[in-house]
Amino acid sequence: MKFLLIFSIISVVVSFIGSRDKTLQGIKKGLMMFLNLLPAILAVLILVSVALYFLPNETIVKFLGKEAGVAGYIVAASIGSVALIPGFIAYPLAGLLVKSGVGYPVIAVFITTLMMVGVLTLPIEAKFFGLKTALIRNALFLLGALMIGLAIGLIYSL
Amino acid sequence: MNEYILKHKVYLLLIIGFIAFVLVSVFTDYDAGCIIFKNHFWVFFTEMILFLPFMFVLIGIADVWLPREKVEKHIGKSSGIKGIVLVVLMSMAQAGPLYGAFPVAYLLWKKGTGVRNIFIYLGAFCTMKIPMLAFETGFLGLKFSLLRTILSLPVIIIIAIIMEKYFEKRGFTMYQL
């Protein structure tokens, strides 16, 4: 975060020395894009916040628990695909899952789908790619995430 | 301004509704509303607002300065393995949630990046960001992180090649906001 901040400031200063007009034009362009994306992002963040309230960590652990079996994988892939959980929440949660006895294969499916598939962020993605492309990307990435997750599971069970 | 409200009316209504809900919750000491706002929404919001505006300014600056010929030459349609290595390295150096990668992908596309490399960029951004890997290693162990990264790269490249083939005849477009 700090790095990005410093890097942006340096870039703007260098750009300004290069050309005042171009810099202002660039900043305007960037901020316009930001403002046009902001409502969709805020809406997604609101939905995620409400969803997380109704699905606290303890509930997720219960659903993914040792006894969950195949259902555990399906729940892991579903939560992972739909949710938008930042790494600083997802990894502590994954660590908690390991400690409460959830196997690495299920965690692998959860983490890979979480990172690669974004159902809740589809409206944002569709703004840039169009709905069709966004759907294709998510479908293929879901397949890929499942493959990676299961492969990790296989290796861990050797 | 009016145009802006019209264009985003659904989202804006949801946001206004949420603000009203939080305010009512605060005044009536309704726990759920306060927790949703303070423990969840505010955490996400500060994460987003601390990086996204800067990123968009950077994208805007890059947009006016980055020469299309250079981008096209290095990570364009016919850039080959070198191009793949370049986009993977680029995405590994980044941080933040996936929705921050879409505008960068748009910029890359506009400057002549090939379809395959756009999706490799997105895929590597999802799975191989260095700040995230560091965090992951801490909670799930080095073995898990290494395995996941090593398995992810080929899967992403294969998916990107499938996407490239799919869009070859149909044509690929992205949209400016």
Side-chain angles (χ1 to χ4, degrees):
Chain A
M1 240 38 120
K2 252 188 222 151
F3 175 75
L4 180 71
L5 182 75
I6 295 165
F7 190 65
S8 330
I9 292 170
I10 294 174
S11 306
V12 170
V13 171
V14 172
S15 170
F16 206 82
I17 295 167
S19 157
R20 207 191 119 128
D21 288 348
K22 267 187 155 181
T23 307
L24 290 178
Q25 192 194 336
I27 292 177
K28 205 179 145 203
K29 240 183 189 170
L31 288 180
M32 281 305 286
M33 271 176 99
F34 173 65
L35 283 180
N36 272 320
L37 195 62
L38 192 60
I41 289 183
L42 287 178
V44 168
L45 295 185
I46 289 170
L47 293 179
V48 175
S49 304
V50 174
L52 277 183
Y53 174 78
F54 289 106
L55 270 179
N57 285 357
E58 303 83 59
T59 318
I60 297 180
V61 171
K62 207 168 68 197
F63 278 133
L64 298 180
K66 263 190 296 210
E67 299 84 28
V70 180
Y73 286 94
I74 297 170
V75 174
S78 312
I79 299 180
S81 302
V82 173
L84 168 86
I85 312 177
F88 60 84
I89 297 177
Y91 285 118
L93 171 61
L96 193 71
L97 291 172
V98 174
K99 282 201 192 93
S100 38
V102 177
Y104 273 98
V106 175
I107 289 170
V109 169
F110 173 63
I111 290 286
T112 49
T113 49
L114 185 65
M115 290 187 306
M116 295 171 68
V117 187
V119 173
L120 270 174
T121 46
L122 262 179
I124 300 174
E125 191 169 348
K127 273 179 186 281
F128 289 99
F129 287 93
L131 186 60
K132 196 174 152 203
T133 308
L135 284 173
I136 296 172
R137 184 202 74 81
N138 275 281
L140 285 178
F141 271 44
L142 173 61
L143 266 181
L146 290 176
M147 277 163 50
I148 297 165
L150 294 178
I152 294 176
L154 265 179
I155 294 169
Y156 265 91
S157 63
L158 286 180
Chain B
M1 192 64 196
N2 275 334
E3 197 188 321
Y4 184 81
I5 292 173
L6 265 175
K7 198 170 153 193
H8 303 290
K9 56 177 181 284
V10 180
Y11 297 128
L12 292 174
L13 275 176
L14 185 90
I15 294 164
I16 292 168
F18 182 68
I19 294 171
F21 167 69
V22 170
L23 284 177
V24 169
S25 303
V26 170
F27 285 114
T28 56
D29 284 326
Y30 179 54
D31 273 348
C34 301
I35 291 173
I36 289 172
F37 180 77
K38 235 177 44 198
N39 294 11
H40 301 301
F41 181 78
W42 190 247
V43 178
F44 294 140
F45 179 75
T46 44
E47 187 209 19
M48 183 273 289
I49 211 74
L50 280 176
F51 98 101
L52 220 48
F54 297 105
M55 229 187 68
F56 272 102
V57 166
L58 267 183
I59 290 172
I61 299 273
D63 194 2
V64 288
W65 288 108
L66 213 60
R68 194 186 153 93
E69 316 82 63
K70 283 263 170 61
V71 176
E72 220 168 349
K73 187 179 145 212
H74 291 294
I75 52 176
K77 213 171 137 190
S78 38
S79 57
I81 302 215
K82 251 193 190 159
I84 294 180
V85 173
L86 257 174
V87 274
V88 169
L89 288 180
M90 205 168 76
S91 52
M92 284 179 83
Q94 294 203 295
L98 179 59
Y99 58 73
F102 299 139
V104 180
Y106 168 74
L107 174 74
L108 292 177
W109 173 75
K110 195 181 157 197
K111 294 288 180 183
T113 305
V115 173
R116 188 182 58 216
N117 283 340
I118 299 260
F119 287 103
I120 292 177
Y121 168 79
L122 282 182
F125 184 95
C126 292
T127 54
M128 299 171 70
K129 283 169 290 184
I130 289 169
M132 186 190 78
L133 290 180
F135 210 62
E136 182 181 35
T137 309
F139 281 97
L140 293 173
L142 187 62
K143 183 186 168 192
F144 182 88
S145 257
L146 271 181
L147 255 180
R148 202 191 48 66
T149 313
I150 292 167
L151 287 167
S152 297
L153 189 60
V155 170
I156 284 161
I157 293 176
I158 291 168
I159 291 175
I161 292 171
I162 295 172
M163 297 291 267
E164 185 184 38
K165 286 264 176 309
Y166 177 84
F167 285 109
E168 214 158 50
K169 288 195 194 96
R170 291 170 182 87
F172 178 79
T173 21
M174 287 188 73
Y175 305 94
Q176 186 178 8
L177 290 180

